Amino acid sequence: MSCLKKICMASAIAVMTLAPALSHAADLRFAGVTSTSAKEAAVEFKKMVEEATDGSLKIQLFQDNQLGDDRVAAESTIFGDIDIGVSSTSPLASLFPDLYLFDAPFLFLSADETYATLDGEVGQNILATLEKKGLKGLGFWENGFRNFTDNDKPVALPEDVAGMKVRTMENEVHLAAWRAFGANPTPMAFTELFTALQQGTVDAQENPLGIIAGNGFQEVQNHVSLTQHVYTPYIVFMNLDRYNSLSDKEKAAIEDAMVKATKFQRERSQELEGEILASFAGEGVTVVKPTPEQKAAWQKKVMDAEIYDLVKSKMDNPEYLDQALEN
């Protein structure tokens, strides 16, 4: 056999060997979080993408932060080690300063206002900024509103928290806001919080309902006030190069599935919060729901203390905050 024939035969064998591998579906590594609603939405997203692409895309789910915490997931997605990730916005604000928007207290006075901003021009502009660092912003899922618990009295107005020691995060904006409300904000490690509440080291704390219930804070706090003072979303993103490598059909499948999964996740989040509130009532916890007028009084305190100006000083596009207030 001539040398040329040998080369041609070897090439043909190589092509035949490679062909099955090339025909396999593309696997996308999806780094999920611990939230029940987000985990269920990731499963729905996977199903919809795989069905819409006839299996040309396969989603590998890694739930419960298996591939690292929120910031690690974002950085790994930027580097391409992860294809799709989910993160709370707070750990990413130093990378994407416009995410400081979600530190602003009482920026949103209802879920409808929140969704209008996230799904509208402001939210889409924020997602677009992720491309500067190699991410394709896919959508906003619900992490939830932060709410207030204490063991003293029902809280509906800012003056109700005057003098209270409130455990809060080590966050400049949050600390300034609680001081403006007349409270004594006391940062401490989350792992120490239950004992601090139990022993009276702090009087109160603030967190989303899922975290309150999941950590049993209602066992040592008999009032839950639905102040909804800060809304923290999850942000879902994809490695930009990976996204750009997809066919038009695959891109459309990803985007359509994200819209539907987002609707599912938010509805499921609200459903789970309803179940939590019902369980609180069964445990003898007083649930307080401030009126829109009472929430407006909190927002006025924030404005008078120029907290929004502090937030805008951290953002690349401070006008987004003003636009969000108009929704």
Side-chain angles (χ1 to χ4, degrees):
M1 183 182 293
S2 70
C3 181
L4 179 59
K5 286 183 178 179
K6 288 180 180 179
I7 292 173
C8 291
M9 183 174 291
S11 299
I13 292 171
V15 170
M16 291 171 64
T17 302
L18 286 174
L22 291 173
S23 67
H24 285 174
D27 288 335
L28 301 179
R29 288 161 60 89
F30 186 116
V33 288
T34 60
S35 160
T36 298
S37 58
K39 288 193 290 186
E40 292 178 2
V43 172
E44 293 299 313
F45 176 78
K46 168 185 168 68
K47 290 178 183 176
M48 289 186 284
V49 168
E50 292 178 356
E51 288 176 4
T53 61
D54 299 317
S56 70
L57 294 181
K58 294 285 187 183
I59 309 291
Q60 293 181 304
L61 294 181
F62 296 87
Q63 308 274 39
D64 295 307
N65 296 123
Q66 291 178 59
L67 301 182
D69 63 21
D70 288 8
R71 188 178 176 93
V72 169
E75 291 175 345
S76 297
T77 306
I78 290 171
F79 295 139
D81 297 324
I82 293 171
D83 298 297
I84 302 172
V86 185
S87 171
S88 175
T89 54
S90 299
L92 305 187
S94 59
L95 287 173
F96 305 101
D98 285 329
L99 296 181
Y100 282 116
L101 172 76
F102 300 108
D103 279 338
F106 292 99
L107 180 62
F108 309 113
L109 301 184
S110 70
D112 288 342
E113 285 186 14
T114 306
Y115 301 154
T117 296
L118 297 180
D119 299 335
E121 183 179 356
V122 170
Q124 298 313 300
N125 285 341
I126 289 176
L127 290 179
T129 65
L130 272 60
E131 297 191 10
K132 296 177 181 178
K133 292 195 182 329
L135 294 178
K136 168 69 176 177
L138 296 178
F140 290 101
W141 285 359
E142 182 152 280
N143 190 348
F145 279 107
R146 300 181 76 85
N147 294 285
F148 186 88
T149 74
D150 74 285
N151 206 28
D152 181 23
K153 59 184 178 182
V155 167
L157 289 165
E159 49 264 34
D160 295 332
V161 303
M164 283 191 189
K165 289 183 181 178
V166 181
R167 183 272 175 184
T168 187
M169 293 187 295
E170 185 70 63
N171 179 297
E172 181 185 8
V173 175
H174 293 194
L175 291 170
W178 286 107
R179 292 190 190 104
F181 300 147
N184 178 14
T186 307
M188 67 169 56
F190 184 79
T191 53
E192 301 171 6
L193 180 53
F194 185 92
T195 301
L197 293 169
Q198 191 174 42
Q199 296 178 348
T201 306
V202 292
D203 304 307
Q205 67 84 47
E206 46 86 43
N207 263 299
L209 290 176
I211 291 178
I212 293 169
N215 290 274
F217 293 152
Q218 73 277 12
E219 298 171 14
V220 289
Q221 301 268 272
N222 56 26
H223 297 98
V224 174
S225 298
L226 304 182
T227 49
Q228 298 184 325
H229 48 274
V230 170
Y231 184 89
T232 306
Y234 286 119
I235 191 165
V236 190
F237 42 76
M238 184 171 182
N239 176 272
L240 183 60
D241 289 340
R242 192 76 171 94
Y243 174 84
N244 287 336
S245 73
L246 302 179
S247 68
D248 289 344
K249 178 181 177 180
E250 290 168 337
K251 289 177 183 176
I254 291 280
E255 293 175 9
D256 182 61
M258 183 54 55
V259 170
K260 292 174 181 175
T262 297
K263 183 177 185 294
F264 169 89
Q265 192 270 338
R266 291 174 183 172
E267 290 175 352
R268 184 69 177 123
S269 175
Q270 293 292 317
E271 180 181 318
L272 290 169
E273 288 201 350
E275 293 174 5
I276 289 170
L277 290 174
S279 73
F280 286 167
E283 295 177 65
V285 176
T286 300
V287 177
V288 181
K289 186 174 181 179
T291 65
E293 293 76 20
Q294 288 170 328
K295 283 189 178 183
W298 292 85
Q299 189 182 66
K300 185 175 186 304
K301 284 278 188 183
V302 172
M303 291 178 171
D304 290 346
E306 300 181 344
I307 305 298
Y308 292 152
D309 291 335
L310 173 60
V311 175
K312 288 195 285 188
S313 72
K314 298 173 175 290
M315 297 172 62
D316 287 338
N317 294 280
E319 67 274 12
Y320 293 166
L321 192 150
D322 296 320
Q323 292 170 22
L325 281 171
E326 293 172 1
N327 280 333

